Amino acid sequence: MRKQGRGTDMKPKDVVMTALKLGQPPRPPVWVWGGGMFAVAQAGTTFEAVKTDVKKMVDYNVEVYTRAGLDAVFVGSGFTSFPVEAMGGKLKYLGMEAPSVVEPAIRRLEDVEKLDVKKMEGHPVINAVWEAARQVQKKIGDERLVCMVSWGPISLAGRMFGVQEMMVEMIQSPEKVKKLVTFGANYTHE
């Protein structure tokens, strides 16, 4: 194996995988968990500027994570609220910060039946992130661990309906909330 720096002959990806398997890597793995805002800021751009530009997304992920010497790349970090937009919600761009949900996708829990994971397949930003992840994997996936990120099922459900509203409904209508969380689980599983 090639010398990878920081006192190890192990590839950065192998350092991470050894640690995740509860082994003893020659050094602790190093990464910025999520890292979307870190990468966007380091690249001197904004989420809005790169949201559908696969080439820019690939270039800044490869360049920033490699230059920083990080062992894992989190493609799509900061773009995790776009499933809400794909389902009809509204986002607000905040410069180098990740876009924020300003209007949920549904107003009533009964509308969970209208949510369809397939709608996300046609969303331009979601497609750009998926394609960027594939290309980053091809470029540096042998050296660094390439990961995709998304909200977990409960976090996504809260963004689809509204976090406060969901907290209240967890007490008043747990079965309806369960359907919304199941939708989130199905999306994150895809």
Side-chain angles (χ1 to χ4, degrees), residues 80-81 84 101 150-163 166 180-181 184 188:
T80 52
S81 292
V84 176
V101 176
S150 70
W151 291 120
I154 293 174
S155 296
L156 181 58
R159 283 164 178 78
M160 287 288 179
F161 181 56
V163 174
M166 192 176 90
L180 183 57
V181 172
T188 56

mmCIF file of all heavy atoms in Angstrom, residues 80-81 84 101 150-163 166 180-181 184 188:
data_model
loop_
_atom_site.group_PDB
_atom_site.id
_atom_site.type_symbol
_atom_site.label_atom_id
_atom_site.label_comp_id
_atom_site.label_asym_id
_atom_site.label_seq_id
_atom_site.Cartn_x
_atom_site.Cartn_y
_atom_site.Cartn_z
ATOM 1 N N THR A 80 -30.297 17.864 2.857
ATOM 2 C CA THR A 80 -31.207 16.877 3.438
ATOM 3 C C THR A 80 -32.666 17.313 3.504
ATOM 4 O O THR A 80 -33.538 16.471 3.694
ATOM 5 C CB THR A 80 -30.723 16.487 4.841
ATOM 6 O OG1 THR A 80 -30.507 17.663 5.607
ATOM 7 C CG2 THR A 80 -29.436 15.681 4.768
ATOM 8 N N SER A 81 -32.959 18.587 3.344
ATOM 9 C CA SER A 81 -34.354 19.041 3.412
ATOM 10 C C SER A 81 -35.046 19.058 2.058
ATOM 11 O O SER A 81 -36.240 19.344 1.979
ATOM 12 C CB SER A 81 -34.427 20.425 4.067
ATOM 13 O OG SER A 81 -34.080 20.324 5.433
ATOM 14 N N VAL A 84 -38.457 17.425 1.442
ATOM 15 C CA VAL A 84 -39.630 18.210 1.844
ATOM 16 C C VAL A 84 -40.092 19.057 0.665
ATOM 17 O O VAL A 84 -41.289 19.131 0.360
ATOM 18 C CB VAL A 84 -39.315 19.094 3.080
ATOM 19 C CG1 VAL A 84 -40.510 19.972 3.438
ATOM 20 C CG2 VAL A 84 -38.890 18.237 4.263
ATOM 21 N N VAL A 101 -36.339 24.559 6.129
ATOM 22 C CA VAL A 101 -37.756 24.375 5.795
ATOM 23 C C VAL A 101 -38.542 25.544 6.381
ATOM 24 O O VAL A 101 -38.490 25.793 7.579
ATOM 25 C CB VAL A 101 -38.292 23.038 6.364
ATOM 26 C CG1 VAL A 101 -39.788 22.901 6.099
ATOM 27 C CG2 VAL A 101 -37.532 21.859 5.783
ATOM 28 N N SER A 150 -28.891 11.736 4.969
ATOM 29 C CA SER A 150 -30.287 12.158 4.906
ATOM 30 C C SER A 150 -30.781 12.299 6.337
ATOM 31 O O SER A 150 -30.131 11.833 7.275
ATOM 32 C CB SER A 150 -31.144 11.135 4.153
ATOM 33 O OG SER A 150 -31.289 9.951 4.901
ATOM 34 N N TRP A 151 -31.914 12.956 6.502
ATOM 35 C CA TRP A 151 -32.541 12.990 7.810
ATOM 36 C C TRP A 151 -32.981 11.581 8.144
ATOM 37 O O TRP A 151 -33.367 10.824 7.258
ATOM 38 C CB TRP A 151 -33.759 13.905 7.815
ATOM 39 C CG TRP A 151 -33.469 15.361 7.667
ATOM 40 C CD1 TRP A 151 -33.915 16.177 6.667
ATOM 41 C CD2 TRP A 151 -32.685 16.187 8.527
ATOM 42 N NE1 TRP A 151 -33.452 17.445 6.850
ATOM 43 C CE2 TRP A 151 -32.683 17.482 7.998
ATOM 44 C CE3 TRP A 151 -31.974 15.951 9.699
ATOM 45 C CZ2 TRP A 151 -32.010 18.540 8.590
ATOM 46 C CZ3 TRP A 151 -31.288 17.004 10.291
ATOM 47 C CH2 TRP A 151 -31.328 18.281 9.743
ATOM 48 N N GLY A 152 -32.991 11.240 9.406
ATOM 49 C CA GLY A 152 -33.566 9.975 9.847
ATOM 50 C C GLY A 152 -35.080 10.051 9.738
ATOM 51 O O GLY A 152 -35.653 11.132 9.507
ATOM 52 N N PRO A 153 -35.772 8.930 9.888
ATOM 53 C CA PRO A 153 -37.230 8.902 9.697
ATOM 54 C C PRO A 153 -38.010 9.892 10.562
ATOM 55 O O PRO A 153 -38.929 10.550 10.077
ATOM 56 C CB PRO A 153 -37.604 7.462 10.048
ATOM 57 C CG PRO A 153 -36.366 6.683 9.802
ATOM 58 C CD PRO A 153 -35.225 7.598 10.138
ATOM 59 N N ILE A 154 -37.655 10.023 11.825
ATOM 60 C CA ILE A 154 -38.411 10.931 12.705
ATOM 61 C C ILE A 154 -38.095 12.385 12.369
ATOM 62 O O ILE A 154 -38.991 13.232 12.316
ATOM 63 C CB ILE A 154 -38.143 10.604 14.186
ATOM 64 C CG1 ILE A 154 -38.733 9.221 14.509
ATOM 65 C CG2 ILE A 154 -38.733 11.676 15.105
ATOM 66 C CD1 ILE A 154 -38.418 8.707 15.894
ATOM 67 N N SER A 155 -36.831 12.691 12.115
ATOM 68 C CA SER A 155 -36.454 14.058 11.749
ATOM 69 C C SER A 155 -37.104 14.468 10.437
ATOM 70 O O SER A 155 -37.609 15.588 10.304
ATOM 71 C CB SER A 155 -34.932 14.189 11.636
ATOM 72 O OG SER A 155 -34.334 13.954 12.880
ATOM 73 N N LEU A 156 -37.106 13.571 9.455
ATOM 74 C CA LEU A 156 -37.745 13.878 8.179
ATOM 75 C C LEU A 156 -39.249 14.068 8.362
ATOM 76 O O LEU A 156 -39.834 15.006 7.811
ATOM 77 C CB LEU A 156 -37.469 12.775 7.150
ATOM 78 C CG LEU A 156 -38.071 13.008 5.765
ATOM 79 C CD1 LEU A 156 -37.575 14.306 5.144
ATOM 80 C CD2 LEU A 156 -37.771 11.824 4.854
ATOM 81 N N ALA A 157 -39.868 13.213 9.160
ATOM 82 C CA ALA A 157 -41.308 13.350 9.423
ATOM 83 C C ALA A 157 -41.614 14.715 10.043
ATOM 84 O O ALA A 157 -42.573 15.383 9.653
ATOM 85 C CB ALA A 157 -41.783 12.230 10.346
ATOM 86 N N GLY A 158 -40.782 15.139 10.980
ATOM 87 C CA GLY A 158 -40.972 16.449 11.601
ATOM 88 C C GLY A 158 -40.861 17.586 10.605
ATOM 89 O O GLY A 158 -41.587 18.575 10.683
ATOM 90 N N ARG A 159 -39.969 17.456 9.669
ATOM 91 C CA ARG A 159 -39.810 18.500 8.653
ATOM 92 C C ARG A 159 -40.954 18.462 7.637
ATOM 93 O O ARG A 159 -41.337 19.486 7.092
ATOM 94 C CB ARG A 159 -38.454 18.379 7.982
ATOM 95 C CG ARG A 159 -37.384 18.932 8.894
ATOM 96 C CD ARG A 159 -35.993 18.529 8.498
ATOM 97 N NE ARG A 159 -35.017 19.138 9.388
ATOM 98 C CZ ARG A 159 -34.731 18.710 10.621
ATOM 99 N NH1 ARG A 159 -35.362 17.683 11.120
ATOM 100 N NH2 ARG A 159 -33.824 19.328 11.358
ATOM 101 N N MET A 160 -41.496 17.281 7.377
ATOM 102 C CA MET A 160 -42.618 17.167 6.439
ATOM 103 C C MET A 160 -43.899 17.794 6.998
ATOM 104 O O MET A 160 -44.702 18.326 6.248
ATOM 105 C CB MET A 160 -42.901 15.691 6.114
ATOM 106 C CG MET A 160 -41.888 15.037 5.228
ATOM 107 S SD MET A 160 -42.012 15.638 3.542
ATOM 108 C CE MET A 160 -40.689 14.710 2.792
ATOM 109 N N PHE A 161 -44.054 17.712 8.313
ATOM 110 C CA PHE A 161 -45.304 18.147 8.945
ATOM 111 C C PHE A 161 -45.117 19.368 9.852
ATOM 112 O O PHE A 161 -46.061 20.119 10.088
ATOM 113 C CB PHE A 161 -45.880 16.973 9.752
ATOM 114 C CG PHE A 161 -47.175 17.251 10.448
ATOM 115 C CD1 PHE A 161 -48.291 17.691 9.749
ATOM 116 C CD2 PHE A 161 -47.289 17.059 11.807
ATOM 117 C CE1 PHE A 161 -49.499 17.933 10.397
ATOM 118 C CE2 PHE A 161 -48.492 17.298 12.467
ATOM 119 C CZ PHE A 161 -49.595 17.732 11.766
ATOM 120 N N GLY A 162 -43.928 19.562 10.352
ATOM 121 C CA GLY A 162 -43.650 20.596 11.346
ATOM 122 C C GLY A 162 -43.286 19.903 12.660
ATOM 123 O O GLY A 162 -44.031 19.032 13.122
ATOM 124 N N VAL A 163 -42.149 20.260 13.216
ATOM 125 C CA VAL A 163 -41.648 19.566 14.405
ATOM 126 C C VAL A 163 -42.594 19.737 15.590
ATOM 127 O O VAL A 163 -42.969 18.757 16.244
ATOM 128 C CB VAL A 163 -40.221 20.040 14.756
ATOM 129 C CG1 VAL A 163 -39.756 19.429 16.062
ATOM 130 C CG2 VAL A 163 -39.257 19.694 13.627
ATOM 131 N N MET A 166 -45.812 17.844 15.074
ATOM 132 C CA MET A 166 -45.633 16.408 15.206
ATOM 133 C C MET A 166 -45.500 15.993 16.668
ATOM 134 O O MET A 166 -46.038 14.958 17.078
ATOM 135 C CB MET A 166 -44.418 15.931 14.417
ATOM 136 C CG MET A 166 -44.375 14.413 14.310
ATOM 137 S SD MET A 166 -43.044 13.816 13.299
ATOM 138 C CE MET A 166 -41.763 13.647 14.524
ATOM 139 N N LEU A 180 -46.600 8.711 9.195
ATOM 140 C CA LEU A 180 -45.665 9.707 8.689
ATOM 141 C C LEU A 180 -44.218 9.251 8.911
ATOM 142 O O LEU A 180 -43.370 9.384 8.028
ATOM 143 C CB LEU A 180 -45.912 11.060 9.359
ATOM 144 C CG LEU A 180 -45.060 12.227 8.880
ATOM 145 C CD1 LEU A 180 -45.217 12.449 7.375
ATOM 146 C CD2 LEU A 180 -45.433 13.492 9.652
ATOM 147 N N VAL A 181 -43.932 8.706 10.068
ATOM 148 C CA VAL A 181 -42.586 8.197 10.355
ATOM 149 C C VAL A 181 -42.268 7.015 9.430
ATOM 150 O O VAL A 181 -41.139 6.882 8.951
ATOM 151 C CB VAL A 181 -42.443 7.824 11.843
ATOM 152 C CG1 VAL A 181 -41.118 7.123 12.107
ATOM 153 C CG2 VAL A 181 -42.559 9.074 12.715
ATOM 154 N N GLY A 184 -41.084 8.356 6.253
ATOM 155 C CA GLY A 184 -39.689 8.758 6.403
ATOM 156 C C GLY A 184 -38.759 7.559 6.383
ATOM 157 O O GLY A 184 -37.681 7.601 5.785
ATOM 158 N N THR A 188 -35.713 6.894 3.679
ATOM 159 C CA THR A 188 -34.315 6.733 4.064
ATOM 160 C C THR A 188 -33.801 5.353 3.709
ATOM 161 O O THR A 188 -32.606 5.150 3.540
ATOM 162 C CB THR A 188 -34.091 7.006 5.566
ATOM 163 O OG1 THR A 188 -34.938 6.160 6.346
ATOM 164 C CG2 THR A 188 -34.401 8.453 5.910
#
